[in-house]
Amino acid sequence: MLPDQTEHASKTPHRAVIIGSGFGGLTAAVRLQASGISTTLIEQCNHLGGRAGQIRDSGYTFDTGPSLITAPPLLKDIFHCAGRRLEDYITLVPLDPFYRVWFYDGTYIDYRSDLTKMKASMAQFDQRDADRLEEFFERLQPIYKAVITEGLGARPFDSLGMMAGFTPRVIRLGAWKPVSQFVKGFFRDWRHHFLYSFHPLFLGGSPFRAPSIFLMIPFLEKEGGVWYANGGMYSLVKGIAQLFQDIGGEIRLNTSALRIEVSRHGTSRPKATGVLVQNTQDQTKTNIPADIVVSNADVGHTYGRLLGNVKRRRWTNSRLKRIHHSMSCFLLYLGVRKKYPKLSHHTIILGPRYKGLVQDIFDRKILAEDFSMYLHVPSRTEPAMAPDGGESIYILVPVPNLASGVDWESTTDSMTDRVITALEKWGLEDLRASIEVQHVFTPDEFESEYNSTLGNAFGIEPRITQTAWFRPHNRSEDIDGLYLVGAGTHPGAGVPGVVLSASATMYAIKEDFGLGLE
């Protein structure tokens, strides 16, 4: 417990407000309500989920954000803490392969958990690489154990003592090295280098800068698999929301947070006392009082806008400007009246450049002529996600955030055309002529719809200087009674990361209010 928080320990909190309904906000809401704290979840849109939304159009269904599930036990624990079972709300389906990765030379590898099959695929390109695969995963196990098994990802990492205690272990495991460097120590074929180093991109990070602690992700996939939720990822949003309401939680849609209300007594730190909200339909403003405020909003928005007039010691406006935000994405949702067996449920199409393209996106911040693509095609697993004989295709192209200065209003049409042309050249014949439904989402929309600083798609970039203690803490360093969840706090982005962030935040709340730790 931090010294500034001791005043809370004698007072049992009665009310909590959660700002934002992404997976972090939803999960935190369930944990708070299940702990006996009356919790209200507010969402500025007319639907839940934040980035994890859904588009339904003419029989085609698209998830708008996260598209895969790893670590089902983390999800089961959400329901367990409320005395329920995940299986009564959501049906999970295992995927095999996890991804089909196509390389620019026309070769591909099906990425899966079966190491025998993976070694056989890798042996086509380099037998020595295949022989080192088991050794590679043996080196990853201690990293996975530290973050997942020992629960470091589910506890607030907000003391220098924790950082000092963990740093020697990070050095010993080599987890400080950039992911790309760590992987190159095992594999020499460029295909295998990509195959086991691309995962930071799923978190908005550069594989050439993100620390190797994030290599827990491929180990997590190997141990627990990659899963699909029937009905799409949005069925997970609806399932958790239904759980929250089943145990007495309140949801308010079309309710925008205008300001986190703060009080100050004498020389003590300011304390959150509620949230001033506005109904986005009739523009009426009301105050929701609370003992606890949890923000699932973008960190820049939380500290820079919702607390804009409050003096902050740590997350000042100048410090917020120094944050390195993740890349953004150009998203294209296509409903096509044709089947494409060449596509797997998850398909990665790698362009001719890897490191150079990543540097264009993260460092040079330019929209390059070439690009790589990630495709989510749930109709390959669940045909009902598209009309008979059709496919619902979600295409994600990593692009720089709005620090690039790209004018997306004038670029969107040409970028859409380039993506469709590239897919047709790659092998999706007559794609353009088969399109019945088309939706586009650009970095501009990330900024306007999600209050996302610079239109980032994944929050704060996962680099060594923005990991663990260096990230904004789950327990606000500036305001008592204010907590963060989601991609911008510990441990980071991705569905497992934001779900773990809710556990870390709940741990901090229990410490602060003397609720008893598990």
Side-chain angles (χ1 to χ4, degrees):
M1 184 182 297
L2 298 182
D4 294 289
Q5 305 288 337
T6 54
E7 66 180 81
H8 294 319
S10 60
K11 180 187 176 185
T12 301
H14 300 291
R15 298 165 298 185
V17 175
I18 312 285
I19 302 170
S21 66
F23 281 122
L26 284 167
T27 304
V30 169
R31 292 193 177 280
L32 281 163
Q33 186 69 32
S35 296
I37 301 168
S38 179
T39 303
T40 299
L41 176 70
I42 64 171
E43 168 56 54
Q44 65 181 358
C45 299
N46 62 2
H47 60 273
L48 297 169
R51 288 168 169 80
Q54 189 177 74
I55 298 171
R56 299 174 69 90
D57 188 346
S58 304
Y60 295 94
T61 302
F62 310 90
D63 287 311
T64 60
S67 59
L68 57 87
I69 294 170
T70 55
L74 295 180
L75 300 180
K76 291 181 179 180
D77 188 57
I78 302 168
F79 290 81
H80 177 73
C81 81
R84 307 297 171 94
R85 299 188 328 136
L86 177 143
E87 295 81 3
D88 294 332
Y89 289 80
I90 300 151
T91 300
L92 298 183
V93 178
L95 297 178
D96 185 30
F98 301 161
Y99 323 99
R100 174 163 288 179
V101 182
W102 285 90
F103 302 99
Y104 69 88
D105 64 350
T107 58
Y108 73 87
I109 293 178
D110 281 340
Y111 183 106
R112 45 181 33 119
S113 62
D114 187 319
L115 294 190
T116 299
K117 292 180 179 179
M118 282 304 305
K119 289 166 69 174
S121 295
M122 294 169 67
Q124 300 176 69
F125 308 111
D126 192 314
Q127 182 63 55
R128 195 204 71 164
D129 283 4
D131 293 340
R132 299 203 68 186
L133 184 60
E134 290 177 346
E135 180 188 355
F136 173 69
F137 277 105
E138 286 172 3
R139 285 285 302 276
L140 300 189
Q141 186 172 14
I143 299 175
Y144 166 85
K145 182 180 178 182
V147 178
I148 303 297
T149 308
E150 296 178 13
L152 287 177
R155 298 289 182 268
F157 211 108
D158 55 6
S159 74
L160 286 173
M162 284 187 70
M163 193 68 183
F166 188 55
T167 298
R169 193 171 178 185
V170 169
I171 294 172
R172 186 171 65 254
L173 296 175
W176 57 272
K177 296 179 182 177
V179 165
S180 174
Q181 181 182 340
F182 190 103
V183 173
K184 271 195 171 180
F186 289 87
F187 309 123
R188 58 190 180 189
D189 187 274
W190 58 274
R191 300 170 189 83
H192 306 147
H193 175 228
F194 174 81
L195 204 64
Y196 291 104
S197 68
F198 76 84
H199 288 84
L201 291 165
F202 279 177
L203 310 178
S206 164
F208 302 93
R209 188 156 54 222
S212 292
I213 196 166
F214 292 104
L215 283 170
M216 67 174 181
I217 300 172
F219 195 92
L220 189 69
E221 292 177 336
K222 183 182 79 70
E223 291 296 289
V226 171
W227 301 72
Y228 169 72
N230 275 346
M233 285 293 289
Y234 201 66
S235 65
L236 182 57
V237 171
K238 292 192 293 186
I240 299 174
Q242 186 61 57
L243 169 68
F244 175 57
Q245 291 178 307
D246 286 348
I247 61 175
E250 178 189 7
I251 293 174
R252 298 190 191 181
L253 299 176
N254 302 304
T255 303
S256 177
L258 299 179
R259 182 174 67 237
I260 296 172
E261 301 284 24
V262 171
S263 68
R264 182 190 291 273
H265 300 287
T267 59
S268 64
R269 291 202 329 173
K271 182 185 183 305
T273 59
V275 181
L276 177 67
V277 303
Q278 182 175 51
N279 185 291
T280 59
Q281 296 177 319
D282 62 19
Q283 307 304 306
T284 57
K285 297 178 182 179
T286 56
N287 182 64
I288 305 176
D291 306 298
I292 294 168
V293 175
V294 180
S295 180
N296 188 204
D298 182 87
V299 168
H301 183 72
T302 298
Y303 281 118
R305 292 285 185 86
L306 301 182
L307 287 167
N309 295 324
V310 178
K311 186 176 181 180
R312 288 157 275 134
R313 293 180 299 178
R314 183 174 175 89
W315 292 106
T316 62
N317 288 341
S318 61
R319 183 162 186 167
L320 290 174
K321 290 178 181 177
R322 296 197 298 271
I323 289 176
H324 296 278
H325 295 279
S326 78
M327 66 184 183
S328 193
C329 297
F330 177 83
L331 301 171
L332 187 58
Y333 307 95
L334 301 179
V336 297
R337 56 176 178 272
K338 186 173 181 178
K339 286 289 186 185
Y340 288 104
K342 188 175 183 179
L343 296 173
S344 183
H345 186 112
H346 299 292
T347 301
I348 296 173
I349 303 173
L350 188 64
R353 296 189 302 147
Y354 182 24
K355 185 175 183 178
L357 179 59
V358 169
Q359 290 175 328
D360 283 348
I361 294 168
F362 285 88
D363 303 326
R364 292 184 279 269
K365 288 187 168 53
I366 59 174
L367 186 62
E369 288 299 314
D370 61 315
F371 47 83
S372 294
M373 296 176 280
Y374 162 78
L375 281 67
H376 177 224
V377 192
S379 49
R380 300 304 305 163
T381 297
E382 187 178 8
M385 298 294 278
D388 289 345
E391 305 274 29
S392 57
I393 306 175
Y394 153 6
I395 304 147
L396 182 155
V397 180
V399 296
N401 63 36
L402 292 176
S404 66
V406 173
D407 180 355
W408 282 102
E409 187 173 347
S410 63
T411 305
T412 296
D413 288 347
S414 61
M415 186 67 179
T416 300
D417 181 71
R418 288 169 57 198
V419 172
I420 294 172
T421 297
L423 287 170
E424 287 191 317
K425 288 182 177 179
W426 176 72
L428 301 189
E429 297 179 359
D430 301 320
L431 175 63
R432 193 184 305 272
S434 302
I435 296 172
E436 293 187 314
V437 168
Q438 178 175 305
H439 296 271
V440 182
F441 201 89
T442 75
D444 283 347
E445 279 74 49
F446 276 102
E447 182 179 56
S448 62
E449 295 197 18
Y450 303 139
N451 297 313
S452 176
T453 306
L454 294 177
N456 74 74
F458 302 91
I460 294 175
E461 181 191 340
R463 51 169 67 192
I464 193 70
T465 55
Q466 297 188 155
T467 298
W469 184 84
F470 297 108
R471 296 180 77 79
H473 296 170
N474 304 85
R475 171 196 284 118
S476 173
E477 301 99 308
D478 292 293
I479 311 293
D480 284 351
L482 173 63
Y483 303 85
L484 306 183
V485 292
T489 188
H490 175 70
V495 176
V498 299
V499 168
L500 284 170
S501 80
S503 297
T505 295
M506 193 66 210
Y507 191 96
I509 290 170
K510 288 182 174 182
E511 278 188 320
D512 294 347
F513 289 90
L515 299 179
L517 300 173
E518 297 176 358

